[in-house]
Amino acid sequence: MFANGRKTIGLFIFNPQGDYQGAICRAVSFRAEQLGYNLAVISSYGAYGTGNAHEIGESMIFDIPDYDKFAGIILALDTFSIPEVTEKVLTYIRENSSCPVVSLRERLDGVNNVLIREGTSMEQITRHVIEAHGKTDIAFMSGPEGREDAEARLACFRSVMAEYGLPIGEHRVFYGDFWRGKGKEACDSFVTDGTYPEAIICANDHMAYAVIDELYERGIRVPEDVLVTGYDGLDEGSRYSPSLTTASINFRNMGEMAVDLIDRHQNDDDVEEVFVQPELVRRTSCGCLNANEISPNGRKRSLHKTVITNINLEMQFSFMTIDLSGVKKIDQLHHVITQYIYNLEDFQNYYICLRDDIDENKDEFRGYTDRMHVRVAVRNRGDMGAVDIPFDRHTLLPTEFIDDSPQCCLFVPIHYGESSYGYEVYSFGGTDRYGKIYERWSISVANAIYNINVYNRMNNLIDQLENLHIKDVLTGLYNRSGFEKYAYKKFSEAKETGSMVCVVGIDMDGLKPINDIHGHHEGDAALCVVGCAIMEAAVTEQIGARIGGDEFEVFFQCGSEEDGERWVGAFESCLDRYNEQSSKPYEVHASVGYRFGIPRMEDTIESYMKESDDLMYKHKIENKRRRNEKLR
């Protein structure tokens, strides 16, 4: 894997742009590089709504690596928002891996675990609210009911409240979602008895933000009217207003511990369980003013910078989406990508790896092909142009893009619904070898490939429809419409340039007897023989057509009358060979007439066709007489 002689660690994580996920990725990449390991971050943006097709497309990224090639695997299973992927990854590991495995924040049997001491997780915050702020009517917003970490944090809160002899009111516990979707429901529940609690302790920071936002909507001040705290210590909490009091987890320490466990157990089967202890961070939302807290003006400046950055990114990504909508070929993707890739801070390399059959314009693309192709490459921040570099997908990238230094690459899927096109690969410079990526960017790339596929499929359908309009289905030659479309144009050009042309009129002999005696299917077969003879006798830019039941026309440019004679000879020789080799109870014959010359201004293709047909009918009478004499 990566083919540079170094061992590779795999980090499996969802939603890589999240605060926790970003901190883990940075820590793992930093420590892996220090110890000389490659790192492959296999990631998905996760579930979207209830769309099963989208989830299928997202989940395919976890099929990419050879799990038996990893020297270690780190799992952030609590970030996985598609349950089926959890089981898929664990099955791959059980069946294929023999390397050390580390689970972060979620205990797994038989592997190394880096865990938070959930049994005491809420202790510092609860004691602080009671002792430092004298609050007794305290509510708790937990995570999803039944989830292990959520229940452990709630149990810790209950234990500390009991220790102080403080009752927990009937409507003072609410099960949330560990996200921001239930702030209103929580506040409605807490105020059921008509009064707000003095303090609301939330089991994570996201829910704390949601509660504070809802309280402000209701005119309730934080911390003056209700004190609010969070848990996790996300960076956003320091910039939020009011800044959030929280229990901070040293995620960087967790990531480094995970890599150290893998390195420590490379040559044994031992497993360890290590713990991280949360630390209280006092801020404004509880009424404390920490000496290290960012000043209000500092928060405003930080917020302003963030807003301006996001506005610029939104604008750039909108422009990129517009430009990508005009891309009609995969080879044109890099022209747009390289205009906007530099909005991704600190990126070093960027690749788009697509399926081997991506240009086939199929209805669906399932999974990944064994051979993948790099179709966009920005290496060392330089555009490599329109590339098409094939490689074995189990190596993740072509060997020419890999050097001897520790590699750190992040892989995310490119798909539209359950149609999987390939994956993006990011690598970043800087100390941590990890930077921020954006779901909107990936969606725009995927939509562009989808649109290319749809555009080409539509063009193919248009071509097919046009062929149905201008082609004779039976023989594969042009029909009358096709002959008129192309031969008329060539005839006009010959007039303008003074070029010599030849128009051949052909009429199959004896079609009716074949139909009557042997059936129409044999008559159709005989017509196809004439069509094949026309195609076998073909000269450059020939236009051959079946213009009626047993009538054919051929147009081509020639240099002399001998060219016309040679064509007729070649055509008749084809029929003779067929009759010699055929086991059919009938022979296939055709009468031919041709008109050649340099068209004058008053000439038309119809006049040439009439003259060639007149000659053809004379030959037809002669052929019939000759065959009748032969039969006598």
Side-chain angles (χ1 to χ4, degrees), residues 20-21 24 75-79 102-108 113-116 118 147-149 153 204 231-232 234 249 251 254 274:
Y20 162 67
Q21 292 90 324
I24 290 297
L75 301 173
L77 294 180
D78 63 338
T79 68
V102 180
S103 178
L104 300 176
R105 296 205 306 189
E106 188 167 312
R107 182 180 281 104
L108 286 180
N113 292 285
V114 178
L115 306 171
I116 299 167
E118 297 290 1
R147 181 163 157 168
E148 183 179 353
D149 52 356
R153 293 172 196 180
N204 82 346
Y231 181 93
D232 275 340
L234 302 180
I249 308 297
F251 297 134
M254 289 184 71
V274 296

Side-chain angles (χ1 to χ4, degrees), residues 359-480:
D359 292 315
E360 292 183 9
N361 305 314
K362 300 192 296 186
D363 291 340
E364 288 185 340
F365 297 91
R366 292 298 186 94
Y368 300 104
T369 49
D370 290 335
R371 296 286 285 174
M372 301 291 287
H373 292 245
V374 173
R375 301 298 294 269
V376 174
V378 183
R379 180 154 177 78
N380 294 322
R381 298 179 66 83
D383 175 26
M384 296 184 67
V387 299
D388 188 351
I389 304 172
F391 66 98
D392 181 344
R393 75 176 172 88
H394 295 293
T395 65
L396 302 180
L397 275 172
T399 55
E400 52 261 52
F401 294 158
I402 305 299
D403 57 36
D404 294 335
S405 64
Q407 305 295 299
C408 175
C409 295
L410 187 149
F411 300 82
V412 292
I414 302 174
H415 68 99
Y416 187 91
E418 57 189 277
S419 278
S420 182
Y421 304 133
Y423 53 86
E424 295 175 286
V425 185
Y426 297 82
S427 63
F428 295 87
T431 305
D432 293 318
R433 297 288 174 144
Y434 179 80
K436 192 171 179 62
I437 67 173
Y438 299 89
E439 186 172 13
R440 181 171 176 186
W441 172 284
S442 298
I443 290 173
S444 294
V445 171
N447 286 348
I449 296 173
Y450 171 79
N451 289 335
I452 291 169
N453 181 257
V454 170
Y455 174 80
N456 289 329
R457 283 168 56 202
M458 285 180 63
N459 277 349
N460 287 343
L461 288 173
I462 291 170
D463 289 343
Q464 291 174 25
L465 289 172
E466 183 179 14
N467 282 337
L468 288 174
H469 176 66
I470 65 173
K471 287 288 184 74
D472 175 52
V473 177
L474 180 64
T475 63
L477 299 170
Y478 289 113
N479 58 22
R480 180 178 289 276

Side-chain angles (χ1 to χ4, degrees), residues 121-122 125-126 129 140-141 153 200-209 212 227-234 243-248 278-281 283 285-286:
S121 57
M122 306 306 301
I125 280 186
T126 308
V129 171
F140 189 83
M141 186 175 184
R153 293 172 196 180
I200 300 174
I201 296 176
C202 298
N204 82 346
D205 288 350
H206 291 299
M207 294 190 300
Y209 303 145
I212 294 173
L227 178 157
V228 179
T229 67
Y231 181 93
D232 275 340
L234 302 180
S243 58
L244 186 65
T245 295
T246 186
S248 178
E279 295 183 2
L280 178 65
V281 178
R283 293 195 181 114
S285 70
C286 73

